[in-house]
């Protein structure tokens, strides 16, 4: 759907505790169509709530000279029935917990363990009852474990062109 609410950060580094998205779809990233912008967001407690029917997209627009990245040592706890779509470089550490809705990971920047080419999430992933972890073809490795506590995984895993993903320890 259309992203009605949008946050654009230019040449800034932000520390953010909890985030909550409701009523509209949101895109968070650098300003599209411009050059020379970079920004980063550090999650200080990792709590992100996305309401039902809402998609919050964190996007690295990857224009000429642009970058937007996500950081933090508190992991991520995704709550709410909506979708959190992470499509940007990251060095988030700590456990990633999907308690509700969908956490969608994209473009290979979201590998865990020893990432290909640096960065990446380094904690285990826990998917709770009724929640979904969705990965694109660029997400190839979840080395530090995946626990499904009644949740589901939707994956188009692609281990760098081989068509097979690596999930490390899988706990059902």
């Amino acid at each position: 759907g259309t992203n009605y609410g949008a946050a654009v950060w230019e040449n800034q580094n932000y520390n953010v505790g909890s985030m909550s998205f409701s009523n509209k779809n949101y895109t968070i990233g650098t300003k599209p169509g411009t050059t020379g912008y970079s920004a980063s967001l550090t999650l200080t407690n990792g709590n992100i709530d996305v309401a039902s029917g809402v998609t919050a997209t964190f996007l690295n627009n990857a224009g000429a000279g642009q970058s937007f990245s996500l950081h933090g040592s508190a992991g991520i706890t995704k709550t709410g029935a909506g979708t959190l779509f992470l499509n940007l470089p990251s060095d988030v550490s700590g456990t990633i917990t999907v308690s509700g809705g969908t956490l969608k990971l994209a473009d290979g920047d979201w590998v865990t363990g020893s990432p290909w080419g640096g960065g990446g999430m380094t904690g285990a992933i826990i998917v709770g009852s009724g929640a979904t972890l969705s990965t694109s073809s660029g997400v190839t490795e979840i080395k530090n474990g995946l626990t499904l506590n009644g949740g589901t995984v939707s994956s188009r895993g692609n281990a760098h062109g081989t068509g097979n993903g690596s999930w490390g320890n899988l706990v059902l």
Side-chain angles (χ1 to χ4, degrees), residues 79-142:
T79 59
T83 299
L84 175 60
F85 180 30
L86 301 176
N87 188 2
L88 73 166
S90 156
D91 65 0
V92 172
S93 61
T95 300
I96 296 90
T97 302
V98 187
S99 296
T102 299
L103 173 60
K104 183 176 179 182
L105 306 178
D107 285 353
D109 293 314
W110 289 93
V111 295
T112 64
S114 297
W116 298 78
M121 297 170 75
T122 59
I125 298 177
I126 300 169
V127 184
S129 181
T132 300
L133 172 67
S134 174
T135 65
S136 74
S137 60
V139 177
T140 59
E141 295 183 87
I142 297 177

Side-chain angles (χ1 to χ4, degrees), residues 1-9 19-30 32 50 53-59 61 83 85:
T2 303
N3 289 329
Y4 297 103
V8 178
W9 298 323
M19 300 180 81
S20 182
F21 300 93
S22 61
N23 301 320
K24 299 176 182 180
N25 293 326
Y26 294 84
T27 298
I28 298 89
T30 53
V50 184
V54 173
T55 297
T57 301
F58 286 73
L59 176 66
N61 290 312
T83 299
F85 180 30

Side-chain angles (χ1 to χ4, degrees), residues 56-74:
T57 301
F58 286 73
L59 176 66
N60 182 14
N61 290 312
Q66 287 188 11
S67 69
F68 178 54
S69 55
L70 192 61
H71 308 277
S73 60

